[in-house]
Amino acid sequence: MAAMIITALVCGGCVGCFLISYFKAKGIYDEYMEYVDKEEYGLKDFIPIGLWLSEKNGLVERLPMSVRTALARHKNQVYQKILEIRGPKDAEFYSYIHSGYRLAAAVVAGAGASLMGVIMAAQGDGANGLLLSGIAVAAIVGVPFLVDSSLNGDIEARRQKIQMEFPEFVNKLTLLVNAGMTISKAWEKIINENKKQHILYEEMRYALMEIKAGKPEAVAYEEFARRCHVKEVTKFVSVIIMNLKRGGSEVVPVLQAQGNECWEMRKNAARQLGEQASTKILIPMMIMFLGIVLIVSTPAVLSMTAGM
């Protein structure tokens, strides 16, 4: 009886929160949802729930100052990750969407687990009902942080894409500078001739737009390196800035050496991707192996059982 009461209370809280926020948020955030990709955000239809909840600061303001400080620090770290992934132009929008998505995922997970807990308790399985109710409460608290941690994988994938494409760009730039072009003109020519939809060229295009808008070249290149957040790009930008300050023809051999280092970086990145792929393949291979073992051994086990 006690298990049924507890699971019912937890379910009432979780499902009630879901339903109230769903109807309160209905139709308010439609203009934002038009720009959200369903494939990227699987729970797109529930994001308005999280957006509505994220705008209710009453609960947060009641927390101790140390907890609020820790949450504010964590929120800033999440924003910095989104800034790297999305860029300064779209960071504010996607930070807002992410704040709704993380809460929506928590509410949906909590409501689903609590409902299962009530069903289990109603069927007489009070222990599992309480367990699922505990999972529901843990989901409300922990799922937002799990969603935040998923940004690390996006950042890693983004940096790997830059690492794979960057050596080719350095080689093109070196050839053009060696042919007599300035770095800024070579930079612009590479962008104009590029047909790829790639994050590296998007960042390069953004830097070029800033230069044309009046920002000093050195500052634009430094910000480009910060947005890419790849060690080799930072080193490359330092070479360019040094050339802008000092001038001279020695920049070409330095760029050639930098290009060789970048190709080594690309080889290492490709090797890491290959190792990750082989690890992912290992799991289905093990499952197939176990299936084959079961198929082969089952008749023998059955015959031995029949003989006994």
Side-chain angles (χ1 to χ4, degrees):
M1 186 64 181
M4 186 64 194
I5 294 173
I6 294 172
T7 54
L9 288 173
V10 173
C11 181
C14 293
V15 175
C17 177
F18 174 85
L19 292 175
I20 291 171
S21 54
Y22 177 80
F23 288 110
K24 288 284 187 180
K26 193 172 183 179
I28 298 177
Y29 304 98
D30 290 349
E31 58 181 322
Y32 295 101
M33 294 302 101
E34 292 178 3
Y35 302 98
V36 178
D37 186 2
K38 177 73 172 180
E39 293 184 2
E40 188 174 0
Y41 295 91
L43 297 175
K44 175 185 174 180
D45 296 334
F46 301 107
I47 289 178
I49 293 175
L51 293 176
W52 185 80
L53 289 172
S54 67
E55 294 174 359
K56 307 302 174 185
N57 298 320
L59 179 61
V60 176
E61 291 174 356
R62 295 176 186 175
L63 296 173
M65 180 59 70
S66 59
V67 177
R68 280 186 285 167
T69 302
L71 289 175
R73 189 182 302 114
H74 176 75
K75 184 177 180 180
N76 182 62
Q77 292 173 350
V78 170
Y79 178 77
Q80 293 301 320
K81 293 176 182 179
I82 295 173
L83 181 63
E84 180 177 347
I85 295 169
R86 300 293 182 177
K89 183 180 178 181
D90 299 322
E92 289 290 339
F93 173 77
Y94 281 103
S95 177
Y96 182 62
I97 295 299
H98 180 81
S99 67
Y101 187 74
R102 65 197 295 272
L103 292 178
V107 172
V108 170
S114 64
L115 278 172
M116 291 297 297
V118 167
I119 293 171
M120 297 294 288
Q123 292 176 348
D125 193 351
N128 284 328
L130 288 173
L131 176 61
L132 286 167
S133 296
I135 291 173
V137 175
I140 294 291
V141 177
V143 165
F145 297 99
L146 291 176
V147 175
D148 291 341
S149 66
S150 68
L151 294 172
N152 295 330
D154 296 335
I155 288 176
E156 186 65 27
R158 182 181 186 274
R159 292 178 183 176
Q160 283 184 343
K161 288 180 181 178
I162 293 174
Q163 287 177 330
M164 296 298 287
E165 186 66 26
F166 190 63
E168 185 176 340
F169 158 69
V170 175
N171 280 358
K172 290 179 181 178
L173 187 78
T174 305
L175 289 172
L176 293 173
V177 172
N178 195 32
M181 275 192 177
T182 62
I183 288 176
S184 60
K185 290 295 182 183
W187 187 287
E188 183 173 1
K189 181 178 176 62
I190 293 171
I191 293 174
N192 292 336
E193 293 180 353
N194 173 65
K195 304 299 181 183
K196 296 179 181 179
Q197 292 292 331
H198 196 278
I199 186 63
L200 175 64
Y201 295 107
E202 290 176 8
E203 294 293 355
M204 288 173 58
R205 190 171 289 108
Y206 188 83
L208 181 63
M209 289 170 57
E210 288 187 319
I211 293 170
K212 289 187 175 181
K215 182 172 286 189
E217 279 190 52
V219 176
Y221 293 145
E222 285 177 349
E223 292 180 355
F224 163 75
R226 279 197 291 270
R227 291 195 302 271
C228 291
H229 217 283
V230 174
K231 180 180 66 175
E232 287 75 14
V233 176
T234 303
K235 188 175 180 180
F236 164 79
V237 167
S238 66
V239 172
I240 291 180
I241 293 174
M242 189 180 300
N243 177 70
L244 291 174
K245 292 178 178 178
R246 297 181 181 179
S249 59
E250 69 275 4
V251 69
V252 174
V254 175
L255 286 176
Q256 289 175 341
Q258 180 74 23
N260 293 333
E261 291 182 12
C262 289
W263 280 109
E264 289 298 321
M265 171 200 70
R266 179 170 178 169
K267 291 178 184 177
N268 293 333
R271 190 178 300 112
Q272 290 177 0
L273 289 173
E275 292 172 355
Q276 292 174 3
S278 63
T279 303
K280 292 177 181 177
I281 292 173
L282 184 62
I283 296 174
M285 286 180 64
M286 290 294 296
I287 295 173
M288 291 174 63
F289 175 74
L290 289 174
I292 293 170
V293 170
L294 287 173
I295 292 171
V296 172
S297 60
T298 298
V301 173
L302 291 175
S303 63
M304 290 175 62
T305 306
M308 292 176 63

